[in-house]
Amino acid sequence: MSRPVTAAAVKLVVSVFAPSPDLIGSAIEALSDLYGEADFVSGVIPFDETDYYAPEMGAPLVRRFVAFERLVPPESLPDIKRQTNAVEERFMSAGRRRVNIDPGYLAEAHLILATGKGYAHRPYLRDGIYADLTLTYQRKAFRPLPWTYPDYAGPVVIGLLEKIRAKYMLQRRGTQA
């Protein structure tokens, strides 16, 4: 018989994309007010794997990834997704999003993103939020799955996430990165 144990705290990771780096910077400030100091902020990356968001947000879009120093319980993901949705709403103009914020968490074995859209590989959590198993960590590397978004499966994002994971693993061991 298995004995339930409390899950290890996880690293909050957020993708923020918008038509301008200035909007992303403002969104990151708002997120820091909620989640504390960021300990990783990527450079600006083109968000060009899809044009799905162009009608609403314009084009071209750019993105940054942010990870926060304070670890969070994995079960807080639905609350975080609802909070980031509220931040998106603060930046809306004329009923259109100007900033897209996709939160998730990085654990030792995987990257989970939060979404409001259910699908076969997205188990329901609560409050209208689903968990999207986006990447697994096996044989010392992140591995995409058949449904992984192309940008998350690419070497740029995987390289960033491996840096964030290294920092997280040091935090778990109680040492500083």
Side-chain angles (χ1 to χ4, degrees):
M1 168 171 78
S2 66
R3 302 227 183 258
V5 296
T6 301
V10 294
K11 189 88 167 157
L12 176 58
V13 178
V14 179
S15 160
V16 183
F17 61 88
S20 80
D22 290 342
L23 277 170
I24 293 173
S26 296
I28 291 171
E29 286 179 28
L31 294 170
S32 293
D33 289 343
L34 291 170
Y35 307 117
E37 187 175 339
D39 63 0
F40 178 90
V41 180
S42 75
V44 176
I45 305 165
F47 185 81
D48 55 9
E49 290 285 339
T50 179
D51 60 0
Y52 176 83
Y53 298 93
E56 180 181 19
M57 299 178 69
L61 297 171
V62 291
R63 165 195 258 174
R64 294 182 93 170
F65 283 87
V66 183
F68 294 89
E69 184 175 347
R70 185 178 73 224
L71 301 180
V72 299
E75 63 270 19
S76 66
L77 190 59
D79 299 322
I80 291 168
K81 178 64 173 168
R82 291 176 55 197
Q83 291 166 340
T84 60
N85 284 350
V87 172
E88 285 183 4
E89 288 175 7
R90 287 182 12 209
F91 286 90
M92 288 179 79
S93 177
R96 297 168 65 146
R97 277 189 301 179
R98 296 175 33 210
V99 174
N100 182 292
I101 303 170
D102 290 325
Y105 68 74
L106 191 146
E108 186 172 351
H110 51 248
L111 173 71
I112 302 287
L113 297 179
T115 181
K117 301 174 194 105
Y119 205 69
H121 64 280
R122 296 176 176 166
Y124 185 76
L125 297 174
R126 64 178 163 80
D127 301 329
I129 306 301
Y130 297 80
D132 184 329
L133 175 61
T134 300
L135 297 167
T136 60
Y137 193 85
Q138 300 173 311
R139 298 182 310 276
K140 300 183 181 184
F142 278 109
R143 309 286 176 186
L145 300 156
W147 52 81
T148 300
Y149 296 114
D151 51 341
Y152 279 89
V156 171
V157 173
I158 285 180
L160 295 173
L161 293 171
E162 287 180 348
K163 288 178 185 174
I164 295 168
R165 184 182 182 278
K167 183 178 289 279
Y168 168 67
M169 295 308 292
L170 289 173
Q171 285 179 285
R172 293 268 318 268
R173 287 194 288 273
T175 58
Q176 290 293 40

